Amino acid sequence: MTDIITQMVADRRHLHQHPEEGWCEFQTTHFVVERLKALGFEVLLGTDVILPEAVMGRDPAKVEKAMEDARAAGVPESFLEATGGYTGALGVWKTGRPGPVTALRFDIDCLAIEETSDPAHIPNAEGFRSKVPGMSHACGHDGHTAVGLGAAAWVAAHAEELTGTVKLIFQPAEEGVRGAAAMAARGIVDDVDWFAGAHIGCSAKLHEVGVSHHGYLATTKFDLDITGVPCAAGSPENGKSALMCGAALCMSLGSLPGHSQGITRVQIGKFVSGTGRNIVAEHTSMLLEVRGESTEINDYMAAGVERTVAGLCAAYGCTYSLRRVGEAVTYKGDEEAVELVKDAARAVPTVTSVVDMNAKVGSEDCTMLIRRVQAHGGKAVFFYFGCEHHGHHKPDFDIQDTASLRDGWGVFTGFLARTNGRKA
Ligand SMILES: [Zn+2]
């Protein structure tokens, strides 16, 4: 067990130095796949785990560049071909004995955030800072991936004590809630009886485990491009301003009415338009999102966006392309699975407290996999294992890997022992 924990910390530090953004995780996927194979897992990847038609928010130019980087880093061409351009992997362990199918999910992507240069930041102090300028694991998904590999090592070591099938899901593109939907749509969890996912940190303190009964806002992410007609400012009747259309949209979308049945959010996070002072702007691009306390409320907000964009673009004589680039639903755990995780957490020697923890705000696309599991009759749960931090998605985010990872690993493997352990 000490070996597994030492390896998890080493894996996390390796992954931390090589962060990759959503849909670009070719080196990470290769690292994961090599390990899973070495441990004796059957491994599926590419379009065997991703349904291309359901992929959201994947930029082909970034993917191309990431594949080049992977090649340069020594990832074999045969592996890149096998991915078909889609990152993520599924490790399957069949014990050959009758028993349930249990899936654990780990997300693998990083964020476009430059890691702090503060010498006190542990990755700087201990020499495993991100080697990729402008990219870092500022949400802890490097820790998730390492825990997933630790769980894989545990399964291989305890195979004789297990029944049924274990599936370890290494999911791409959680940031922007883009990756889970395509894995769910591919059907990889349709046979799953038990499912657990987790996040490090959030509201959980170091050595605390928070188990969720419900929570998360449903969300839809949109990319919007508006096209007008450019002309000289002196004769505006010849043009259609994509900038004015975008500005009107900002005001209208920002004041979309809320919903009496629960929380709503609308956010326009980016607005780019115009080429010069005396030119009627031809293009506007916007990145926006809505959220809702229930999937129905989120759908109501998303419909409001679609209606408003259509109406105002028509009013300003502009054309547009509005694309859904990310989606997550709300979470409702199954009490039986929640209890198993609580029981597992209480048995982890380093865990000092086990509490109920329901995320009121924020979104997480693990919910797409959970919803799919539940739709097919399986039971699912989401939990948090703690670390000390000043906020996720910040340059100084750190997870104290030597202390925190074993807690998460202990809960995941304890869950597996409870769902798939040989009772005899
Ligand atoms: Zn995260």
Side-chain angles (χ1 to χ4, degrees):
M1 181 180 127
T2 347
D3 288 353
I4 293 182
I5 289 163
T6 308
Q7 185 67 52
M8 270 196 304
V9 172
D11 289 345
R12 185 263 165 166
R13 293 185 175 203
H14 169 81
L15 295 163
H16 191 81
Q17 291 177 77
H18 304 282
E20 296 170 295
E21 268 194 298
W23 296 123
C24 295
E25 313 96 326
F26 292 97
Q27 297 176 56
T28 307
T29 300
H30 182 246
F31 184 78
V32 165
V33 167
E34 288 296 296
R35 178 68 58 76
L36 291 174
K37 282 187 174 163
L39 288 167
F41 276 78
E42 180 191 328
V43 181
L44 302 176
L45 71 161
T47 52
D48 286 340
V49 297
I50 299 284
L51 184 71
E53 298 89 296
V55 164
M56 289 180 287
R58 178 176 172 274
D59 179 341
K62 280 188 179 178
V63 170
E64 194 61 40
K65 164 84 167 61
M67 289 179 91
E68 267 171 39
D69 291 346
R71 242 173 240 122
V75 175
E77 194 60 43
S78 57
F79 177 84
L80 293 173
E81 262 169 40
T83 67
Y86 294 97
T87 49
L90 175 67
V92 183
W93 190 286
K94 292 178 181 147
T95 65
R97 286 177 282 276
V101 179
T102 300
L104 308 180
R105 174 273 203 177
F106 310 94
D107 44 0
I108 65 173
D109 55 327
C110 83
L111 286 154
I113 292 175
E114 176 79 15
E115 190 161 18
T116 179
S117 53
D118 180 350
H121 180 61
I122 295 173
N124 293 328
E126 301 194 14
F128 64 94
R129 175 193 169 78
S130 166
K131 290 184 171 170
V132 186
M135 295 285 165
S136 64
H137 271 292
C139 198
H141 300 183
D142 48 351
H144 299 169
T145 311
V147 167
L149 294 177
W154 183 90
V155 168
H158 293 78
E160 286 309 309
E161 297 152 40
L162 297 172
T163 67
T165 298
V166 177
K167 289 182 155 187
L168 302 179
I169 300 168
F170 291 86
Q171 184 212 301
E174 193 285 324
E175 301 296 350
V177 291
R178 296 171 291 160
M183 285 191 133
R186 186 63 184 79
I188 65 167
V189 295
D190 290 1
D191 61 347
V192 167
D193 301 297
W194 297 98
F195 178 100
H199 208 298
I200 195 166
C202 303
S203 302
K205 301 282 171 239
L206 188 61
H207 300 314
E208 181 175 56
V209 171
V211 191
S212 263
H213 300 262
H214 55 82
Y216 283 128
L217 299 179
T219 183
T220 306
K221 318 297 189 192
F222 292 102
D223 282 0
L224 171 63
D225 287 300
I226 303 169
T227 305
V229 177
C231 74
S235 48
E237 72 280 11
N238 295 326
K240 306 285 184 196
S241 175
L243 186 151
M244 295 307 286
C245 178
L249 266 172
C250 275
M251 301 311 291
S252 295
L253 293 173
S255 54
L256 277 177
H259 198 290
S260 64
Q261 300 304 308
I263 298 169
T264 59
R265 297 274 189 278
V266 56
Q267 172 69 23
I268 298 151
K270 189 168 181 183
F271 180 117
V272 179
S273 187
T275 49
R277 188 189 309 281
N278 57 356
I279 303 158
V280 169
E282 184 179 9
H283 296 293
T284 292
S285 67
M286 291 163 68
L287 306 185
L288 60 142
E289 59 160 55
V290 292
R291 301 185 194 221
E293 195 171 342
S294 69
T295 305
E296 294 68 29
I297 293 173
N298 182 64
D299 289 347
Y300 157 83
M301 294 301 285
V305 168
E306 284 168 347
R307 199 176 56 244
T308 308
V309 168
L312 279 174
C313 285
Y316 281 81
C318 295
T319 58
Y320 70 95
S321 157
L322 180 67
R323 300 174 302 279
R324 289 182 178 227
V325 294
E327 201 147 42
V329 293
T330 50
Y331 161 77
K332 180 144 186 19
D334 294 288
E335 286 307 309
E336 261 183 274
V338 166
E339 284 308 316
L340 286 181
V341 160
K342 281 189 179 172
D343 193 45
R346 287 190 201 107
V348 177
T350 48
V351 170
T352 53
S353 84
V354 180
V355 297
D356 292 321
M357 196 169 278
N358 302 310
K360 286 203 183 60
V361 297
S363 299
E364 157 69 71
D365 74 357
C366 192
T367 56
M368 300 298 279
L369 288 161
I370 288 173
R371 193 65 70 99
R372 183 89 174 198
V373 166
Q374 293 170 331
H376 287 81
K379 295 187 187 339
V381 57
F382 196 83
F383 68 94
Y384 305 89
F385 58 103
C387 67
E388 301 305 332
H389 63 89
H390 316 291
H392 289 251
H393 298 202
K394 289 186 175 172
D396 67 348
F397 182 78
D398 185 51
I399 59 172
Q400 305 92 45
D401 53 15
T402 53
S404 63
L405 297 184
R406 67 175 69 187
D407 292 347
W409 174 81
V411 179
F412 272 120
T413 55
F415 180 72
L416 277 183
R418 282 159 178 76
T419 54
N420 291 55
R422 261 172 121 160
K423 309 284 186 290

